[in-house]
Amino acid sequence: MTATTTCITVEEAMASSDNFEHWHDIDWVKCHKKVKNLQARIVKATAEGRWRMVRKLQQLLTRSFSAKAIAVKRVTENKGKKTAGVDKETWNTPASKANAIDSLKRRGYKSSPLRRVEIPKKDGKKRKLGIPTMKDRAMQALYLLALEPIAETTGDFNSYGFRPERATADAILRAATNCAFCYTNLRLSSVFCLILCLVGRRLSNDNSP
């Protein structure tokens, strides 16, 4: 990778909200494209074992405006978007979401305590649950964008739990394929053993007086 290419990438990835005035002004297609491009480069560098380049690309990704915007979008559009943490804040307005993008910085960041709540279970008992703040959730979503490409590249090929683009149907299909392969090999082994037995009998009969 040349120095010129890296410099251009830094300028693009580190582009802040100079032209950003409102939450609804964000070009989400462009944001997703930039993040996917950096993630693809992380996958390539991981596969090649270039870990120094992986760290540089991760820093570009976590500091980019596009990744921060996507992280905020994820935590403000899921099922828990109305559930606040200990700070009692929910980013439910365009202005608060825009301010949240600028607040996602590593320097000086410290996670907040979890808000403890008890959720009733079917058997009448209660289950304790810890709820992080919106900022902590957004930081987790941001760094997930940088860590997920490595996990998917180095992870077990036959692992299907809690992985993107994989579902229960994929695990069932893999299990069925393995069973069919083992059954075919077992049948071939049985047939081969039977042939050996028959040949052995034939040879013994031919050699008998």
Side-chain angles (χ1 to χ4, degrees):
M1 183 179 298
T2 62
T4 304
T5 304
T6 305
C7 182
I8 294 175
T9 306
V10 170
E11 292 177 357
E12 292 179 352
M14 295 293 292
S16 61
S17 53
D18 294 336
N19 299 323
F20 169 65
E21 297 180 356
H22 199 275
W23 172 259
H24 298 297
D25 294 335
I26 299 176
D27 187 347
W28 293 109
V29 175
K30 189 175 181 180
C31 287
H32 281 286
K33 185 177 180 180
K34 286 186 176 181
V35 170
K36 290 293 184 182
N37 181 40
L38 282 172
Q39 287 180 326
R41 292 177 62 188
I42 292 174
V43 168
K44 183 180 179 181
T46 302
E48 295 174 352
R50 302 166 62 193
W51 298 108
R52 183 175 297 180
M53 179 59 66
V54 170
R55 288 192 293 271
K56 289 182 179 179
L57 292 172
Q58 284 181 316
Q59 289 178 357
L60 290 178
L61 181 59
T62 54
R63 295 175 184 177
S64 67
F65 172 80
S66 298
K68 292 179 180 181
I70 291 175
V72 173
K73 189 173 187 288
R74 283 187 177 181
V75 300
T76 56
E77 294 185 359
N78 58 18
K79 293 182 180 180
K81 61 183 179 181
K82 296 181 180 180
T83 305
V86 291
D87 57 359
K88 299 181 180 180
E89 290 185 4
T90 56
W91 299 335
N92 52 9
T93 63
S96 61
K97 295 176 184 178
N99 292 332
I101 296 176
D102 293 330
S103 70
L104 297 183
K105 299 177 181 179
R106 181 182 178 183
R107 179 172 296 181
Y109 168 74
K110 185 178 180 180
S111 61
S112 302
L114 300 176
R115 182 168 72 90
R116 297 293 181 178
V117 296
E118 293 185 344
I119 299 177
K121 300 169 65 175
K122 292 182 179 180
D123 56 2
K125 298 181 180 180
K126 292 185 178 181
R127 178 172 64 90
K128 293 184 179 180
L129 181 67
I131 302 176
T133 61
M134 295 293 289
K135 183 173 182 178
D136 289 340
R137 279 178 262 175
M139 289 294 286
Q140 291 173 10
L142 175 62
Y143 280 87
L144 177 63
L145 294 173
L147 293 173
E148 199 170 60
I150 300 177
E152 288 300 306
T153 306
T154 60
D156 187 359
F157 179 76
N158 292 320
S159 173
Y160 296 91
F162 300 98
R163 296 183 66 175
E165 307 299 333
R166 294 195 177 193
T168 307
D170 299 318
I172 295 174
L173 180 60
R174 170 60 61 180
T177 304
N178 291 341
C179 289
F181 179 76
C182 293
Y183 178 71
T184 302
N185 287 344
L186 181 62
R187 290 192 62 186
L188 290 175
S189 299
S190 301
V191 172
F192 184 69
C193 289
L194 179 61
I195 292 174
L196 288 179
C197 291
L198 292 175
V199 171
R201 285 185 180 182
R202 181 65 179 271
L203 290 175
S204 61
N205 291 334
D206 292 343
N207 294 332
S208 60

